[in-house]
Amino acid sequence: MSNDQPVWTELTLRVPADGIEAAADILTELTGNGVTIEPTIEALGPDEGYVLDETAPLTLKGYVQGNVSAAALVWVIGDRLREAGFGEDVASGISQQTLREEDWAEAWKAHYKIEHVGRVVVRPAWIEYEAQPGDVVIGLDPGMAFGTGQHPTTRMCLLALQELLHPGDRVLDLGGGSGILAIAAVALGAGTPVIAIDTEDQAVRSTVTNAALNAMEARIDSREGSIEAAGGAVFDLVLANINAATLMRLAPQLYASLAPGAPLIAGGVIDLREAACLAALEAAGLRHERTLAEGDWRTFVLRRS
């Protein structure tokens, strides 16, 4: 293996379900990158599937790129967790390992399969798939970016997108991650270019790569930043699969980004933050139409009057 592969440090901790979003916000802030959340599952045996242990703590993983003092970072994260009220078992239970980007990407492949979400079929780039009548097939190689079609928030956004998108709609994908929602929007007939924005450079590059994989290079405009990167444009549909804290903070700007009558699909909300997040979005002037739920996760469909 080449020694010039980008190096990442993976940080892992176990967090009670009622504290997962607060811990995820701390980890995101201090690493500057996205996080993954994994439930505890119990395998039932070959070909028998698994059961989800909803009472067990969740596994939270964060990633930081480059040569960092992992020990110092672990200490800072632990200190912030203590300040936020987490017990010593969480604050002192952070483990770490070094990954090369190539290793991480290969590890993903072992757990990544074809996903059917309504009419949309998310095909891993390395797996062949013969499209069936009515399928809208998109290829994806997520790399380090969030968005594979396997997470409940992504699935719910894809389902809502299929229902709400009209041909030619101007679409914004805020928190684009791997680009999956922007690519799906183009494949479903959105006007182009669809603007995909993410705060992480890794996600922007992943969106560009996946757009090219689907021959959509000229149809998706991938930008780094937050909603300001949209340049004040107004959209017929906005996707914001982020997290409750960011949705609450950006609620007035999300409202302003919508054309009159346009829908907002807002995801990434854990159930414990559902009420507060929805209240903030409604306070900004958005009208709540319905809530999609899968497990602990919630996705809102709202509309500007």
PDB file of all heavy atoms in Angstrom, residues 129-148:
ATOM      1  N   TYR A 129     -26.264  -4.025 -11.968  1.00  0.00           N
ATOM      2  CA  TYR A 129     -27.701  -4.148 -11.719  1.00  0.00           C
ATOM      3  C   TYR A 129     -28.443  -3.985 -13.033  1.00  0.00           C
ATOM      4  O   TYR A 129     -28.183  -3.044 -13.790  1.00  0.00           O
ATOM      5  CB  TYR A 129     -28.168  -3.082 -10.724  1.00  0.00           C
ATOM      6  CG  TYR A 129     -29.670  -3.090 -10.517  1.00  0.00           C
ATOM      7  CD1 TYR A 129     -30.277  -4.057  -9.731  1.00  0.00           C
ATOM      8  CD2 TYR A 129     -30.475  -2.124 -11.133  1.00  0.00           C
ATOM      9  CE1 TYR A 129     -31.652  -4.071  -9.544  1.00  0.00           C
ATOM     10  CE2 TYR A 129     -31.856  -2.134 -10.948  1.00  0.00           C
ATOM     11  CZ  TYR A 129     -32.438  -3.110 -10.153  1.00  0.00           C
ATOM     12  OH  TYR A 129     -33.798  -3.129  -9.977  1.00  0.00           O
ATOM     13  N   GLU A 130     -29.374  -4.897 -13.302  1.00  0.00           N
ATOM     14  CA  GLU A 130     -30.197  -4.809 -14.503  1.00  0.00           C
ATOM     15  C   GLU A 130     -31.498  -4.106 -14.145  1.00  0.00           C
ATOM     16  O   GLU A 130     -32.318  -4.626 -13.370  1.00  0.00           O
ATOM     17  CB  GLU A 130     -30.496  -6.208 -15.060  1.00  0.00           C
ATOM     18  CG  GLU A 130     -31.276  -6.178 -16.367  1.00  0.00           C
ATOM     19  CD  GLU A 130     -31.458  -7.566 -16.958  1.00  0.00           C
ATOM     20  OE1 GLU A 130     -30.772  -8.506 -16.499  1.00  0.00           O
ATOM     21  OE2 GLU A 130     -32.294  -7.696 -17.869  1.00  0.00           O
ATOM     22  N   ALA A 131     -31.675  -2.907 -14.679  1.00  0.00           N
ATOM     23  CA  ALA A 131     -32.838  -2.098 -14.334  1.00  0.00           C
ATOM     24  C   ALA A 131     -34.125  -2.778 -14.767  1.00  0.00           C
ATOM     25  O   ALA A 131     -34.216  -3.364 -15.846  1.00  0.00           O
ATOM     26  CB  ALA A 131     -32.722  -0.725 -14.983  1.00  0.00           C
ATOM     27  N   GLN A 132     -35.137  -2.665 -13.903  1.00  0.00           N
ATOM     28  CA  GLN A 132     -36.466  -3.172 -14.189  1.00  0.00           C
ATOM     29  C   GLN A 132     -37.353  -2.008 -14.645  1.00  0.00           C
ATOM     30  O   GLN A 132     -37.043  -0.837 -14.399  1.00  0.00           O
ATOM     31  CB  GLN A 132     -37.049  -3.830 -12.936  1.00  0.00           C
ATOM     32  CG  GLN A 132     -36.191  -4.953 -12.373  1.00  0.00           C
ATOM     33  CD  GLN A 132     -35.965  -6.065 -13.373  1.00  0.00           C
ATOM     34  OE1 GLN A 132     -36.912  -6.618 -13.926  1.00  0.00           O
ATOM     35  NE2 GLN A 132     -34.694  -6.395 -13.622  1.00  0.00           N
ATOM     36  N   PRO A 133     -38.457  -2.302 -15.309  1.00  0.00           N
ATOM     37  CA  PRO A 133     -39.353  -1.221 -15.749  1.00  0.00           C
ATOM     38  C   PRO A 133     -39.759  -0.324 -14.582  1.00  0.00           C
ATOM     39  O   PRO A 133     -40.165  -0.813 -13.526  1.00  0.00           O
ATOM     40  CB  PRO A 133     -40.568  -1.984 -16.317  1.00  0.00           C
ATOM     41  CG  PRO A 133     -40.003  -3.300 -16.750  1.00  0.00           C
ATOM     42  CD  PRO A 133     -38.937  -3.629 -15.751  1.00  0.00           C
ATOM     43  N   GLY A 134     -39.618   0.976 -14.779  1.00  0.00           N
ATOM     44  CA  GLY A 134     -39.976   1.938 -13.744  1.00  0.00           C
ATOM     45  C   GLY A 134     -38.861   2.309 -12.810  1.00  0.00           C
ATOM     46  O   GLY A 134     -38.981   3.271 -12.035  1.00  0.00           O
ATOM     47  N   ASP A 135     -37.741   1.573 -12.839  1.00  0.00           N
ATOM     48  CA  ASP A 135     -36.620   1.885 -11.953  1.00  0.00           C
ATOM     49  C   ASP A 135     -35.948   3.193 -12.352  1.00  0.00           C
ATOM     50  O   ASP A 135     -35.775   3.487 -13.532  1.00  0.00           O
ATOM     51  CB  ASP A 135     -35.562   0.777 -12.011  1.00  0.00           C
ATOM     52  CG  ASP A 135     -35.950  -0.458 -11.225  1.00  0.00           C
ATOM     53  OD1 ASP A 135     -36.947  -0.408 -10.481  1.00  0.00           O
ATOM     54  OD2 ASP A 135     -35.254  -1.484 -11.361  1.00  0.00           O
ATOM     55  N   VAL A 136     -35.555   3.952 -11.349  1.00  0.00           N
ATOM     56  CA  VAL A 136     -34.681   5.109 -11.539  1.00  0.00           C
ATOM     57  C   VAL A 136     -33.376   4.751 -10.841  1.00  0.00           C
ATOM     58  O   VAL A 136     -33.285   4.801  -9.615  1.00  0.00           O
ATOM     59  CB  VAL A 136     -35.292   6.387 -10.947  1.00  0.00           C
ATOM     60  CG1 VAL A 136     -34.326   7.557 -11.081  1.00  0.00           C
ATOM     61  CG2 VAL A 136     -36.630   6.710 -11.607  1.00  0.00           C
ATOM     62  N   VAL A 137     -32.381   4.351 -11.624  1.00  0.00           N
ATOM     63  CA  VAL A 137     -31.150   3.800 -11.066  1.00  0.00           C
ATOM     64  C   VAL A 137     -30.075   4.881 -10.977  1.00  0.00           C
ATOM     65  O   VAL A 137     -29.817   5.590 -11.959  1.00  0.00           O
ATOM     66  CB  VAL A 137     -30.636   2.624 -11.918  1.00  0.00           C
ATOM     67  CG1 VAL A 137     -29.378   2.023 -11.291  1.00  0.00           C
ATOM     68  CG2 VAL A 137     -31.726   1.561 -12.067  1.00  0.00           C
ATOM     69  N   ILE A 138     -29.459   4.995  -9.810  1.00  0.00           N
ATOM     70  CA  ILE A 138     -28.325   5.897  -9.659  1.00  0.00           C
ATOM     71  C   ILE A 138     -27.155   5.110  -9.080  1.00  0.00           C
ATOM     72  O   ILE A 138     -27.322   4.260  -8.208  1.00  0.00           O
ATOM     73  CB  ILE A 138     -28.657   7.119  -8.769  1.00  0.00           C
ATOM     74  CG1 ILE A 138     -29.025   6.701  -7.343  1.00  0.00           C
ATOM     75  CG2 ILE A 138     -29.784   7.920  -9.381  1.00  0.00           C
ATOM     76  CD1 ILE A 138     -29.261   7.873  -6.411  1.00  0.00           C
ATOM     77  N   GLY A 139     -25.964   5.369  -9.602  1.00  0.00           N
ATOM     78  CA  GLY A 139     -24.753   4.735  -9.102  1.00  0.00           C
ATOM     79  C   GLY A 139     -24.125   5.596  -8.032  1.00  0.00           C
ATOM     80  O   GLY A 139     -24.203   6.826  -8.078  1.00  0.00           O
ATOM     81  N   LEU A 140     -23.489   4.964  -7.062  1.00  0.00           N
ATOM     82  CA  LEU A 140     -22.928   5.720  -5.954  1.00  0.00           C
ATOM     83  C   LEU A 140     -21.684   5.034  -5.416  1.00  0.00           C
ATOM     84  O   LEU A 140     -21.634   3.818  -5.255  1.00  0.00           O
ATOM     85  CB  LEU A 140     -23.964   5.840  -4.825  1.00  0.00           C
ATOM     86  CG  LEU A 140     -23.778   7.015  -3.867  1.00  0.00           C
ATOM     87  CD1 LEU A 140     -24.096   8.326  -4.572  1.00  0.00           C
ATOM     88  CD2 LEU A 140     -24.668   6.849  -2.652  1.00  0.00           C
ATOM     89  N   ASP A 141     -20.670   5.859  -5.128  1.00  0.00           N
ATOM     90  CA  ASP A 141     -19.480   5.426  -4.420  1.00  0.00           C
ATOM     91  C   ASP A 141     -19.264   6.451  -3.308  1.00  0.00           C
ATOM     92  O   ASP A 141     -18.678   7.506  -3.541  1.00  0.00           O
ATOM     93  CB  ASP A 141     -18.277   5.373  -5.355  1.00  0.00           C
ATOM     94  CG  ASP A 141     -17.066   4.723  -4.698  1.00  0.00           C
ATOM     95  OD1 ASP A 141     -17.085   4.566  -3.455  1.00  0.00           O
ATOM     96  OD2 ASP A 141     -16.109   4.380  -5.411  1.00  0.00           O
ATOM     97  N   PRO A 142     -19.763   6.188  -2.089  1.00  0.00           N
ATOM     98  CA  PRO A 142     -19.813   7.224  -1.065  1.00  0.00           C
ATOM     99  C   PRO A 142     -18.470   7.669  -0.540  1.00  0.00           C
ATOM    100  O   PRO A 142     -18.327   8.806  -0.088  1.00  0.00           O
ATOM    101  CB  PRO A 142     -20.649   6.580   0.046  1.00  0.00           C
ATOM    102  CG  PRO A 142     -20.453   5.122  -0.149  1.00  0.00           C
ATOM    103  CD  PRO A 142     -20.332   4.920  -1.636  1.00  0.00           C
ATOM    104  N   GLY A 143     -17.451   6.798  -0.560  1.00  0.00           N
ATOM    105  CA  GLY A 143     -16.177   7.183   0.033  1.00  0.00           C
ATOM    106  C   GLY A 143     -16.380   7.574   1.488  1.00  0.00           C
ATOM    107  O   GLY A 143     -17.052   6.890   2.242  1.00  0.00           O
ATOM    108  N   MET A 144     -15.834   8.732   1.895  1.00  0.00           N
ATOM    109  CA  MET A 144     -15.949   9.164   3.286  1.00  0.00           C
ATOM    110  C   MET A 144     -17.198   9.981   3.551  1.00  0.00           C
ATOM    111  O   MET A 144     -17.444  10.408   4.675  1.00  0.00           O
ATOM    112  CB  MET A 144     -14.728  10.023   3.659  1.00  0.00           C
ATOM    113  CG  MET A 144     -13.431   9.267   3.759  1.00  0.00           C
ATOM    114  SD  MET A 144     -13.366   8.152   5.165  1.00  0.00           S
ATOM    115  CE  MET A 144     -13.383   9.316   6.527  1.00  0.00           C
ATOM    116  N   ALA A 145     -18.033  10.254   2.534  1.00  0.00           N
ATOM    117  CA  ALA A 145     -19.158  11.168   2.701  1.00  0.00           C
ATOM    118  C   ALA A 145     -20.426  10.437   3.117  1.00  0.00           C
ATOM    119  O   ALA A 145     -20.650   9.280   2.787  1.00  0.00           O
ATOM    120  CB  ALA A 145     -19.394  11.937   1.402  1.00  0.00           C
ATOM    121  N   PHE A 146     -21.286  11.161   3.841  1.00  0.00           N
ATOM    122  CA  PHE A 146     -22.549  10.595   4.289  1.00  0.00           C
ATOM    123  C   PHE A 146     -23.529  10.489   3.131  1.00  0.00           C
ATOM    124  O   PHE A 146     -23.615  11.364   2.293  1.00  0.00           O
ATOM    125  CB  PHE A 146     -23.159  11.482   5.381  1.00  0.00           C
ATOM    126  CG  PHE A 146     -24.522  11.022   5.829  1.00  0.00           C
ATOM    127  CD1 PHE A 146     -24.639  10.012   6.771  1.00  0.00           C
ATOM    128  CD2 PHE A 146     -25.660  11.581   5.308  1.00  0.00           C
ATOM    129  CE1 PHE A 146     -25.884   9.574   7.190  1.00  0.00           C
ATOM    130  CE2 PHE A 146     -26.915  11.157   5.719  1.00  0.00           C
ATOM    131  CZ  PHE A 146     -27.026  10.155   6.655  1.00  0.00           C
ATOM    132  N   GLY A 147     -24.329   9.413   3.146  1.00  0.00           N
ATOM    133  CA  GLY A 147     -25.402   9.272   2.164  1.00  0.00           C
ATOM    134  C   GLY A 147     -25.210   8.055   1.294  1.00  0.00           C
ATOM    135  O   GLY A 147     -24.542   8.110   0.268  1.00  0.00           O
ATOM    136  N   THR A 148     -25.807   6.928   1.698  1.00  0.00           N
ATOM    137  CA  THR A 148     -25.665   5.691   0.930  1.00  0.00           C
ATOM    138  C   THR A 148     -27.006   5.098   0.551  1.00  0.00           C
ATOM    139  O   THR A 148     -27.060   4.139  -0.202  1.00  0.00           O
ATOM    140  CB  THR A 148     -24.897   4.634   1.743  1.00  0.00           C
ATOM    141  OG1 THR A 148     -25.697   4.258   2.877  1.00  0.00           O
ATOM    142  CG2 THR A 148     -23.560   5.169   2.217  1.00  0.00           C
TER     143      THR A 148
END
